[in-house]
Amino acid sequence: MKVTFFGVRGSCPVSGPAFTRYGGNTACVLVEPHGFETKIILDLGTGLHPLGDHLDGLDWQLNGQRNLKPLTAKVLVTHLHWDHIQGLPFFPQANREGSRLEIYGPLQEDNSLVRIYHRFMSPPFFPVGVWDLKASISLHGLSGNETLTENGVTIKVGVIPHQGGLTLGYRLESDTRSVVYISDHQAPLNWETGYVPESVIELCKDCDLLIHDAQYSVDEFNQKIDWGHCTYDYALTVAKASNAKSLALFHHDPYHSDDQIDQILASVLEKNDGKLERIYAASEGMSIDLNQQSSILSTSF
Ligand SMILES: [Zn+2]
Ligand SMILES: [Zn+2]
């Protein structure tokens, strides 16, 4: 199973010289199971735009040439905050004949994900409606206790504490590998005791890679204690408590520069005490192949 990051930022996209190495796009990750054509996309943040370019093989050296192929993909959306859905209107494959996107996300009170997507993607917010796109798009609500399957991949869904609406986490298992995606996670107020909700541990248990919210320092968290996120120390606590093999720090705060993320990674590595095999700070273009001995294959674009 290969995991590639296209958007690693939380809350709001950023650009500029302070963000060139880790990238400024919001949450979007591609998972490709070995031996299957299937593509699974985690969240639809602004990283979806470069993901589309990547799938098209866009080559700026060749005057922007691209290979316009339709896409069949399963999309797993954690929740409906802007930083997790804003890329959809700008995803080239969504407006392409022959594409099929099966989008899963948190069930809404009126049972209608369709109505929610139509609300944010229609005039006056965007010139065309979601149903005007040329791809075949289906939307499916999840309550958080489902198990889905997709061409050799088992997808377990769990509820994750956050703020402002039902939020999901996903565990993907393929052949002998597993990856868990928890993009936004409200730490409990007693997080420094090491407490992790049992449901979170169950979703993450023994996974090969945990991709986890790492938005705040302790000081930042104390100022934004109920904003729906956690400290990068808590990301390590969750990984250790659930016996994860490796951890990717994710959902970087828009106020954290590349140099600050370097320091965050160094401080988490120091606190690891050899428990986890690998710890990464996720960056745009980073690929992790869980079936390879040495995990980082490439920074691919
Ligand atoms: Zn978010
Ligand atoms: Zn959120």
Side-chain angles (χ1 to χ4, degrees):
M1 192 150 39
K2 183 177 163 189
V3 176
T4 307
F5 296 92
F6 289 86
V8 298
R9 194 66 56 173
S11 307
C12 110
V14 288
S15 69
F19 309 105
T20 54
R21 287 190 288 114
Y22 288 95
N25 281 301
T26 64
C28 185
V29 180
L30 176 66
V31 178
E32 296 167 286
H34 274 283
F36 292 95
E37 277 294 296
T38 308
K39 305 232 182 285
I40 298 173
I41 297 171
L42 304 173
D43 275 331
L44 298 168
T46 63
L48 190 63
H49 183 61
L51 167 58
D53 291 343
H54 171 78
L55 294 175
D56 279 350
L58 176 67
D59 190 341
W60 291 113
Q61 309 294 327
L62 293 171
N63 294 326
Q65 276 184 23
R66 58 199 308 158
N67 181 11
L68 301 177
K69 282 188 301 190
L71 171 70
T72 298
K74 207 176 205 89
V75 179
L76 306 174
V77 174
T78 54
H79 63 306
L80 302 176
H81 292 168
W82 280 117
D83 50 327
H84 299 260
I85 58 171
Q86 205 169 10
L88 183 61
F90 308 98
F91 188 40
Q93 285 80 357
N95 195 30
R96 193 170 293 168
E97 295 283 359
S99 284
R100 284 185 52 238
L101 301 178
E102 253 180 66
I103 302 178
Y104 291 79
L107 201 61
Q108 301 303 299
E109 274 177 21
D110 62 358
N111 287 342
S112 176
L113 266 187
V114 172
R115 201 172 304 166
I116 296 284
Y117 274 77
H118 191 68
R119 198 196 297 171
F120 89 85
M121 194 174 163
S122 61
F125 302 109
F126 196 69
V128 297
V130 69
W131 302 122
D132 298 321
L133 297 172
K134 292 178 183 157
S136 159
I137 296 176
S138 60
L139 292 158
H140 311 271
L142 299 169
S143 60
N145 54 14
E146 295 85 351
T147 299
L148 314 171
T149 54
E150 175 68 38
N151 278 340
V153 182
T154 301
I155 300 162
K156 291 181 180 157
V157 189
V159 174
I160 303 299
H162 188 39
Q163 297 286 0
L166 176 62
T167 298
L168 305 174
Y170 295 99
R171 179 188 181 102
L172 281 62
E173 295 177 351
S174 165
D175 30 65
T176 56
R177 296 292 185 264
S178 53
V179 56
V180 177
Y181 180 66
I182 297 182
S183 65
D184 298 46
H185 188 182
Q186 169 69 59
L189 297 184
N190 61 343
W191 71 273
E192 284 175 294
T193 65
Y195 171 74
V196 180
E198 196 53 46
S199 57
V200 174
I201 292 180
E202 195 184 318
L203 194 69
C204 303
K205 201 164 179 39
D206 300 324
C207 68
D208 292 289
L209 174 65
L210 170 62
I211 301 168
H212 195 282
D213 187 341
Q215 185 135 356
Y216 296 139
S217 66
V218 174
D219 284 349
E220 288 163 342
F221 180 77
N222 288 338
Q223 288 164 33
K224 300 172 179 176
I225 204 157
D226 58 354
W227 284 31
H229 298 286
C230 63
T231 62
Y232 34 84
D233 289 343
Y234 190 64
L236 181 62
T237 297
V238 175
K240 283 182 173 177
S242 54
N243 200 35
K245 290 192 185 62
S246 59
L247 168 68
L249 304 172
F250 187 75
H251 209 274
H252 305 307
D253 191 272
Y255 290 105
H256 288 171
S257 67
D258 290 337
D259 291 346
Q260 284 170 293
I261 296 173
D262 287 343
Q263 289 164 15
I264 287 166
L265 176 61
S267 98
V268 175
L269 282 166
E270 203 177 302
K271 289 175 184 147
N272 179 37
D273 295 328
K275 177 87 165 68
L276 275 73
E277 290 172 17
R278 289 189 175 84
I279 298 176
Y280 313 97
S283 63
E284 284 182 31
M286 175 188 279
S287 268
I288 300 174
D289 191 330
L290 298 175
N291 296 75
Q292 300 283 325
Q293 282 292 324
S294 76
S295 289
I296 290 194
L297 275 187
S298 61
T299 296
S300 59
F301 59 94

